[in-house]
Amino acid sequence: MTTRILADVAASITEFKANPMKVALSAYGEPVAVLNRNEAVFYCVPAEAYEQLMDRIEDLELLSLAVAREHEDSISVNINDL
């Protein structure tokens, strides 16, 4: 069975368990695919990259909501009436 690995850096689960910080730092801020029997079982992602990923997902969700509401009727509101 062939598995797609979505990272440029990979480490075995044994290597990761022995020294997780060494493995994480060896990728210089990039994700690390952690392999068990040559199959990716999880990705070790730096906190900064994870935060950027979450921000991007939130932006895409907001964009999807805006596009869905784009053709709804609008309501005129006077700021002084609020």
Side-chain angles (χ1 to χ4, degrees):
M1 178 179 190
T2 311
T3 304
R4 186 172 167 199
I5 298 176
L6 303 172
D8 293 332
V9 179
S12 71
I13 191 82
T14 304
E15 183 180 4
F16 185 78
K17 285 193 303 186
N19 195 341
M21 286 307 296
K22 180 181 177 186
V23 170
L25 294 174
S26 70
Y28 301 102
E30 296 294 318
V32 177
V34 180
L35 309 176
N36 185 28
R37 297 187 177 145
N38 293 326
E39 288 189 23
V41 289
F42 68 91
Y43 292 89
C44 173
V45 182
E48 184 177 326
Y50 184 78
E51 290 166 5
Q52 291 174 356
L53 179 65
M54 291 296 103
D55 287 344
R56 178 75 173 139
I57 289 170
E58 184 180 353
D59 290 347
L60 289 172
E61 289 172 346
L62 288 172
L63 175 62
S64 175
L65 183 61
V67 168
R69 293 180 176 178
E70 183 177 23
H71 298 293
E72 289 182 1
D73 292 337
S74 61
I75 300 171
S76 296
V77 177
N78 184 339
I79 191 97
N80 295 323
D81 294 339
L82 297 177

